[in-house]
Amino acid sequence: MKKVILSSISFLIFFIIATIIYLSTIGYETDKFNQLLEKNISSNVPNTKINIDKIKIKLNIKNLSFFVTTINPKIRFNNYKLNINKIDAFIDLKSLLSGNPRIKKINISSNDIDVSEIKNIVKYSKPSSFKKFFLNEVETGNASLNLDLDLVNNKIVSYEINGAVKNLFAKAHNINFKKTSFVYLIRKNSSEIDNIRGFVNGFQINSGNVEFENLKSLKIKGNLKSDFKLSKNDINKFMNKKKLKDYKNVDLLGKVQSLFKINFDKTLKIVDYQIEASGNIQKSEIKLNNPKKYFFLKNKIKNLSLEKTEFNIDFSKDSKKSINLIGLYKFNEKLFQKFNFENSYDAKLKKYFISGDFDGEIFIPQFNFISKNKIVNINTSFETNKNIINLKEFHLKEGKNKIEIKNLIIKNNKLEKFDNISVKTFANNKFNNDFTISFDKEIKIGGSKYDASYLTKFLEQNDNSEFLKNISKEISVNIKEISTKFSDTISNFNLIGFIDKGKFNKIVSKGEFKDGKYLDISLRKLKKAKKKITRNIFWFSGTINIKL
């Protein structure tokens, strides 16, 4: 008796296991659910006709539920054939046992579908920006999809679409997508694009993710990792061409990683955004159409090159925006030098910090400083606000040579004020400048040395300059020794006077030459003078009084 019971139990267990294996792998073929499945799909997807040949009942071991499946069903949408691979329909077990089967979930999966076939479907959708883009701008490519439909009382209540896009070629305004691929997930109020790869206007996207949320309004966030090889033409496609009009050629090679968040209102107007990008410029070259001459630089700038340069960019709608670079640069055919550039700005104020080495020749004629191609270290920070430049700090250092400026303000290309200027320089290994200039209730210049070798020539070249037009102050000068282009030097030089709108109105000065000779000058401008009189005054021994 025991053997019979054990044999029966063993047979029952074997039968159950065999049935489970059979239903989960091969399935039981029937046609009882053909009409139910055809009716559910046709009623929920308008303009769709479906013809199912064979259906199998299978067991989902993971969820311990039954589903019906069919391979390669014949489906037509608006008389266009759809390349569907398989349809699975999960049936509510209680409804099945009661004799009134209801489908609670449908899964539809496709083979790869060509873009031309997808266009035949999209053109029947409601008017939208996506429809216009897809029909007019998408050129070639293919896609696959898995469509999950959740049903209550055989009616769709929610859906999820996922799949992959491969070898996509498309255009959007000036942006060209080439060999683009990604996987996607679409839900009712959200969607996601992942594993993004492709080529976009000189960028090779290696990986990326973009998420969309559309509960009350559209929100987009994502990240991209790319290599880039950009030319001037590539940059012109996503920047205003006027910004590059002075450049003959621009080449950039490097890597970038970006994070972004963009929020829209109901009219799809951008209401907030945050963009962060970091990476490195491995190599770049910028050539100017016309070489430019910059103040105090002896040679014109023809081109700029960057190498091994790290960068960080942070843009947001409400807070300050910033661009930071640190690496190597060179002008023309010089050697690469270290530099650091920081720029932060908002709608009202722009702030800059620049530090680095410079190996071009610098010539400052006001006090005869020549760097002679030695490496000069420069550190400066300044702010700009419309037509105002505030030079917060400027430090130039080369060996023992030092030049410092603090809080110099320029408005409408005219000097407004500064705190102080300090100059200590050498020429031919000899001290030639050691003085300071302070700007307060009066302008004070004092020190032990001043080199005026090129001062006269500089003043003649800039005689009509209005740079100092806003300056009207008393001035006093006390310099122990002034050297000139000639052999004579002036000792114990003192000057008091008044500057009116950038021009000397009154001067009284005294100084000493060698061999007991001295200088004593008094100049005054007559109020009734109508004609402009130019005088050349030469150093001499004796006393003169000149009225202008």
Side-chain angles (χ1 to χ4, degrees):
M1 186 68 181
K2 290 183 178 179
K3 290 183 178 179
V4 174
I5 294 173
L6 289 173
S7 297
S8 299
I9 293 173
S10 298
F11 177 78
L12 181 61
I13 293 172
F14 174 79
F15 177 76
I16 292 172
I17 293 173
T19 302
I20 291 172
I21 293 173
Y22 178 79
L23 290 176
S24 62
T25 55
I26 300 173
Y28 174 71
E29 188 173 309
T30 180
D31 59 359
K32 291 183 178 181
F33 298 99
N34 290 32
Q35 188 175 358
L36 175 66
L37 190 57
E38 290 173 356
K39 182 179 178 182
N40 270 274
I41 294 175
S42 297
S43 62
N44 283 285
V45 184
N47 303 316
T48 302
K49 293 182 179 180
I50 179 170
N51 187 344
I52 297 173
D53 186 17
K54 294 180 180 180
I55 283 182
K56 287 186 176 183
I57 298 177
K58 300 183 78 173
L59 175 67
N60 187 326
I61 297 177
K62 185 177 180 180
N63 298 322
L64 294 177
S65 60
F66 288 96
F67 67 97
V68 295
T69 182
T70 180
I71 306 297
N72 298 322
K74 298 175 182 178
I75 301 178
R76 302 186 77 84
F77 177 79
N78 283 307
N79 210 31
Y80 287 101
K81 182 182 177 182
L82 302 183
N83 190 10
I84 302 300
N85 176 43
K86 185 175 68 168
I87 298 177
D88 294 332
F90 294 82
I91 300 174
D92 182 69
L93 184 60
K94 188 183 292 185
S95 67
L96 179 64
L97 295 174
S98 67
N100 184 27
R102 291 195 303 271
I103 297 175
K104 63 179 182 179
K105 188 171 184 176
I106 297 175
N107 174 265
I108 301 174
S109 60
S110 76
N111 298 309
D112 284 348
I113 306 174
D114 191 82
V115 162
S116 59
E117 297 179 50
I118 300 174
K119 286 185 176 182
N120 290 330
I121 300 171
V122 172
K123 68 182 182 181
Y124 290 102
S125 63
K126 293 180 180 180
S128 66
S129 298
F130 171 77
K131 178 181 179 180
K132 183 179 179 181
F133 165 75
F134 198 90
L135 294 178
N136 298 323
E137 308 298 343
V138 176
E139 298 173 353
T140 60
N142 56 69
S144 62
L145 69 83
N146 291 293
L147 171 62
D148 290 326
L149 304 173
D150 293 318
L151 295 89
V152 174
N153 296 324
N154 294 328
K155 295 293 183 181
I156 296 174
V157 293
S158 65
Y159 65 89
E160 180 178 296
I161 307 171
N162 63 76
V165 174
K166 301 175 184 177
N167 204 31
L168 179 70
F169 285 74
K171 292 181 180 180
H173 301 292
N174 291 323
I175 302 175
N176 295 323
F177 297 88
K178 297 180 180 180
K179 298 182 180 179
T180 305
S181 65
F182 53 85
V183 295
Y184 64 89
L185 173 64
I186 302 173
R187 298 187 181 96
K188 184 177 181 180
N189 294 314
S190 65
S191 57
E192 182 178 356
I193 299 173
D194 204 359
N195 295 336
I196 304 171
R197 290 178 174 83
F199 298 87
V200 182
N201 285 37
F203 287 90
Q204 179 182 323
I205 301 174
N206 301 316
S207 65
N209 170 274
V210 181
E211 296 178 13
F212 305 83
E213 181 186 300
N214 194 18
L215 291 171
K216 295 181 179 180
S217 59
L218 179 61
K219 297 180 180 179
I220 301 175
K221 66 177 181 178
N223 66 85
L224 296 170
K225 290 183 180 180
S226 308
D227 295 337
F228 59 84
K229 186 177 181 182
L230 302 173
S231 65
K232 181 180 177 180
N233 289 334
D234 292 324
I235 298 172
N236 275 334
K237 289 177 181 178
F238 54 83
M239 282 184 63
N240 190 330
K241 290 184 178 181
K242 292 181 180 179
K243 293 183 180 294
L244 299 180
K245 64 182 180 64
D246 293 330
Y247 303 134
K248 181 178 181 181
N249 195 25
V250 178
D251 291 304
L252 295 172
L253 178 67
K255 297 177 180 293
V256 61
Q257 179 176 353
S258 59
L259 301 171
F260 56 88
K261 295 179 181 179
I262 308 173
N263 296 338
F264 301 82
D265 64 12
K266 292 182 179 180
T267 65
L268 294 182
K269 178 183 177 182
I270 295 176
V271 294
D272 194 18
Y273 63 87
Q274 176 77 37
I275 301 173
E276 299 177 11
S278 62
N280 66 81
I281 300 173
Q282 298 167 355
K283 187 178 181 182
S284 76
E285 185 173 15
I286 301 171
K287 294 183 179 180
L288 301 177
N289 285 321
N290 300 303
K292 289 193 174 182
K293 181 74 170 68
Y294 290 94
F295 206 40
F296 298 141
L297 298 186
K298 183 178 180 180
N299 298 315
K300 292 182 178 181
I301 301 298
K302 299 176 182 177
N303 55 65
L304 167 67
S305 300
L306 300 178
E307 248 186 34
K308 300 176 183 177
T309 298
E310 305 291 329
F311 64 86
N312 286 280
I313 300 172
D314 190 349
F315 286 174
S316 59
K317 186 175 185 295
D318 296 324
S319 60
K320 289 184 177 180
K321 302 169 179 62
S322 65
I323 302 173
N324 301 325
L325 298 96
I326 181 169
L328 302 175
Y329 84 100
K330 71 174 182 178
F331 288 125
N332 302 338
E333 305 305 319
K334 295 289 184 177
L335 298 176
F336 278 99
Q337 304 294 334
K338 296 179 181 179
F339 84 101
N340 183 15
F341 173 87
E342 298 176 11
N343 172 215
S344 62
Y345 61 95
D346 54 26
K348 295 181 179 180
L349 185 67
K350 296 180 180 180
K351 296 182 179 181
Y352 299 85
F353 170 79
I354 302 172
S355 67
D357 296 334
F358 181 74
D359 60 352
E361 187 167 336
I362 297 174
F363 175 49
I364 306 177
Q366 289 92 327
F367 42 85
N368 190 25
F369 171 74
I370 306 174
S371 66
K372 292 185 177 178
N373 296 319
K374 294 180 181 179
I375 295 178
V376 175
N377 180 261
I378 297 174
N379 285 272
T380 182
S381 64
F382 60 96
E383 299 174 353
T384 62
N385 181 7
K386 294 184 179 179
N387 55 351
I388 299 175
I389 300 173
N390 183 359
L391 183 60
K392 307 282 285 185
E393 287 187 319
F394 177 86
H395 301 275
L396 182 151
K397 184 177 181 181
E398 184 279 306
K400 297 179 181 179
N401 297 301
K402 292 181 181 180
I403 300 172
E404 296 181 353
I405 303 173
K406 289 186 178 180
N407 294 323
L408 185 145
I409 296 177
I410 298 172
K411 183 177 181 180
N412 294 322
N413 297 319
K414 297 179 181 67
L415 178 65
E416 289 288 314
K417 66 175 185 175
F418 58 88
D419 284 354
N420 58 72
I421 298 172
S422 174
V423 180
K424 290 184 179 181
T425 64
F426 289 76
N428 299 320
N429 295 319
K430 293 181 180 180
F431 225 168
N432 72 323
N433 284 293
D434 183 10
F435 65 90
T436 60
I437 308 174
S438 61
F439 189 103
D440 199 0
K441 292 181 180 180
E442 65 174 312
I443 300 172
K444 292 183 178 181
I445 303 174
S448 60
K449 292 275 290 186
Y450 175 66
D451 190 338
S453 299
Y454 291 91
L455 182 61
T456 303
K457 184 178 180 181
F458 173 79
L459 293 175
E460 288 175 352
Q461 292 175 345
N462 295 272
D463 185 54
N464 295 320
S465 172
E466 294 190 345
F467 182 68
L468 300 175
K469 189 174 182 179
N470 291 339
I471 304 300
S472 294
K473 278 184 179 292
E474 291 184 349
I475 182 171
S476 65
V477 181
N478 186 346
I479 301 291
K480 189 174 181 180
E481 184 178 290
I482 295 179
S483 57
T484 68
K485 210 170 184 181
F486 308 99
S487 59
D488 289 332
T489 60
I490 305 173
S491 302
N492 300 320
F493 179 80
N494 289 276
L495 179 147
I496 58 174
F498 186 81
I499 296 177
D500 183 26
K501 295 182 180 179
K503 305 291 184 180
F504 275 105
N505 184 281
K506 180 177 65 175
I507 294 175
V508 176
S509 66
K510 292 184 179 183
E512 298 176 4
F513 291 101
K514 294 179 180 179
D515 302 327
K517 299 176 182 178
Y518 64 93
L519 173 72
D520 189 343
I521 298 177
S522 176
L523 301 178
R524 181 169 61 89
K525 184 178 180 181
L526 296 177
K527 292 183 179 180
K528 295 182 179 181
K530 295 182 180 180
K531 294 182 179 180
K532 181 179 178 182
I533 303 172
T534 303
R535 294 273 203 276
N536 291 322
I537 302 174
F538 299 90
W539 302 116
F540 67 100
S541 63
T543 302
I544 66 169
N545 288 280
I546 302 176
K547 293 183 179 180
L548 297 178

